[in-house]
Amino acid sequence: MTEEKSLKLEILHDRRGISKVYTSLAFLLLVFSILTLLFLTFFNYNFAVQEQMRIEHERSQEKIVLTGLNLNETNLSEICIKNTGTIEIKIRAIYVDNSFLCDPSTYNDTNIAPNNSSWIALPIGVAFDPSAKITATTERGVKTAEY
C-alpha cells in the first residue's frame, strides 16, 4: 500500500511541474501578443501621420483662381478656373453665395494640370447675379472665391 501511495504522490508531483510549464507558456504567449498589438498600433499611427503630412504638403502646393464666366442669356453656364499651383488639381464643388451648387466632377472631367485653365460646365438654370459670390473648391479643400 505504501508503494501505491508513493506512486500516486510522484504522479501528482509530476502534474504540478507540467502545469507550471503550461502556465509559463501561456504567460509568454500573452506577453508576446501584447507586444505585437503595441507594435501594430505604433506602426498604424506612424503610417497615418505620414499620410496626413503628405496630404498637407500636396495641399500647400495647390492654388486656383476663378478667371472667367460664360453667360447664356441671363444664366451662368460655365466658369473658367486656372490652376496656378505646382500639382494637378480636381475641382469637386461649386458654391454660389455659400450655398452648394454642384459637384462638377460627377459629370465632367475637372482635372486641371499646373499652369493650365479649364472651363467647368454648370447645371442648367443657374441665374446670373453680378453681386453673387462664386466659390470653387478642390478635392483637397483649397478654395477660391470671386464676386
Side-chain angles (χ1 to χ4, degrees):
M1 255 340 230
T2 57
E3 286 181 33
E4 285 182 28
K5 285 185 179 181
S6 65
L7 184 60
K8 285 183 181 179
L9 288 175
E10 278 184 39
I11 292 174
L12 289 176
H13 183 67
D14 289 342
R15 286 186 184 167
R16 287 184 200 150
I18 291 174
S19 68
K20 288 180 182 180
V21 170
Y22 286 139
T23 304
S24 298
L25 288 175
F27 181 72
L28 284 174
L29 181 65
L30 178 67
V31 167
F32 282 120
S33 298
I34 291 172
L35 287 175
T36 303
L37 181 65
L38 287 173
F39 176 75
L40 290 175
T41 303
F42 176 75
F43 179 76
N44 286 338
Y45 174 77
N46 192 24
F47 180 75
V49 167
Q50 287 178 354
E51 185 69 19
Q52 188 64 30
M53 288 174 55
R54 183 188 63 79
I55 290 170
E56 284 300 316
H57 177 68
E58 288 177 355
R59 187 172 185 221
S60 70
Q61 295 177 340
E62 281 189 349
K63 292 178 183 68
I64 59 173
V65 178
L66 183 67
T67 59
L69 302 172
N70 193 2
L71 299 174
N72 184 6
E73 298 175 10
T74 60
N75 291 332
L76 188 61
S77 61
E78 292 179 316
I79 61 173
C80 184
I81 297 175
K82 181 173 177 82
N83 179 3
T84 59
T86 58
I87 61 172
E88 184 173 306
I89 61 158
K90 183 175 189 171
I91 302 298
R92 289 299 305 249
I94 306 292
Y95 297 88
V96 175
D97 288 331
N98 295 325
S99 296
F100 179 74
L101 178 64
C102 66
D103 178 1
S105 65
T106 58
Y107 55 86
N108 276 341
D109 179 26
T110 60
N111 292 333
I112 305 172
N115 297 319
N116 286 333
S117 59
S118 178
W119 286 93
I120 308 290
L122 300 177
I124 298 172
V126 178
F128 176 67
D129 180 7
S131 64
K133 178 182 174 185
I134 300 172
T135 306
T137 306
T138 67
E139 191 170 41
R140 294 179 190 96
V142 174
K143 296 178 183 179
T144 183
E146 297 292 333
Y147 287 93

